[in-house]
Amino acid sequence: MASGSLAILFFCTLSPLLLLSSAQTCSSFSFTSKRSYTSCIDLPYLEAHLHWNYTPSTGKISLAYRAKQSSQGWIAWAINPSRAGMVGSQALVAFRNTNGSMTAYPTSITSYSPSLLPGSLSFQVSNISAEYLDNEMTIFAVLGPLEDATTVYHVWQAGSTVLNNIPQGHPLSPPNLQSTGTLSFLSKK
Ligand SMILES: *[C@@H]1O[C@H](CO)[C@@H](O)[C@H](O)[C@H]1NC(C)=O
Ligand SMILES: *[C@@H]1O[C@H](CO)[C@@H](O)[C@H](O)[C@H]1NC(C)=O
């Protein structure tokens, strides 16, 4: 009896919190480690969010891409300077290294079966790092200047497997094939 009512009390106390967290949007998210971003967007697939600060005078974009992921998986976010879609993407990828630390690096996607090894991109990238917290992976980086920051194609992706510190292919299910869009770094939310 006593434990039954305790369980009910616990559930009633917890459920508003659960509702709150599932409804949480990017604008109410706060980063640890004193990072803050003026703009953000909740992406429609793969439980992903992009946060950024755009500095018009330098053309630099400081960003954080975060997405739900297991500790064995990988996440990636990319700008495609030429077209919508995967091939040609200038990507940032992150995963947990076999040594336990989070690893993030740029990689350029040149085919539909790319080897996601570190590489250079068609624009500058600096200050890249990653963290894993609350079942989310986050990539932090500073990009740019870009040729055009007002309209870019972007693509985001996730996969469940990393082998010998190399992210492996992603599922071909609808969310993983629909995770592309256009973005203006000048917009605020
Ligand atoms: C893990 O490996 C990466 C890549 O080789 C390296 O940059 C990083 O410093 C290593 N971390 C630890 C804790 O050894
Ligand atoms: C990039 O990292 C360097 C060294 O940690 C730091 O001084 C600089 O402020 C960072 N730049 C940005 C735009 O965050």
Side-chain angles (χ1 to χ4, degrees):
M1 178 66 195
S3 75
S5 46
L6 257 186
I8 289 163
L9 180 67
F10 181 67
F11 186 75
C12 292
T13 318
L14 200 64
S15 53
L17 290 174
L18 292 175
L19 286 174
L20 195 67
S21 76
S22 65
Q24 193 184 52
T25 60
C26 65
S27 49
S28 60
F29 184 84
S30 53
F31 288 87
T32 55
S33 64
K34 293 188 187 139
R35 296 180 196 263
S36 74
Y37 300 91
T38 55
S39 306
C40 73
I41 177 174
D42 294 308
L43 299 172
Y45 305 104
L46 306 176
E47 298 178 81
H49 316 266
L50 187 69
H51 302 254
W52 73 90
N53 293 322
Y54 175 64
T55 308
S57 59
T58 58
K60 300 257 184 209
I61 301 145
S62 173
L63 64 82
Y65 169 75
R66 63 186 176 89
K68 191 147 190 196
Q69 186 52 284
S70 79
S71 61
Q72 286 83 41
W74 57 266
I75 63 166
W77 174 86
I79 287 176
N80 192 325
S82 51
R83 54 189 283 272
M86 171 177 165
V87 174
S89 290
Q90 305 295 300
L92 307 173
V93 63
F95 56 89
R96 203 209 288 267
N97 195 285
T98 46
N99 70 15
S101 63
M102 286 298 293
T103 296
Y105 53 72
T107 182
S108 174
I109 312 292
T110 55
S111 76
Y112 282 107
S113 51
S115 181
L116 295 182
L117 293 169
S120 56
L121 302 187
S122 62
F123 45 79
Q124 286 178 52
V125 187
S126 63
N127 296 49
I128 182 165
S129 65
E131 68 179 29
Y132 188 58
L133 198 66
D134 298 333
N135 301 313
E136 282 189 333
M137 286 188 180
T138 305
I139 303 172
F140 301 98
V142 177
L143 306 185
L146 304 175
E147 268 179 36
D148 179 6
T150 61
T151 320
V152 298
Y153 295 112
H154 72 141
V155 190
W156 60 103
Q157 199 48 268
S160 57
T161 315
V162 177
L163 272 184
N164 302 319
N165 291 325
I166 303 174
Q168 304 297 301
H170 63 77
L172 298 176
S173 45
N176 298 79
L177 300 179
Q178 291 167 336
S179 50
T180 171
T182 58
L183 180 70
S184 169
F185 287 112
L186 275 53
S187 68
K188 290 204 185 272
K189 187 178 171 186

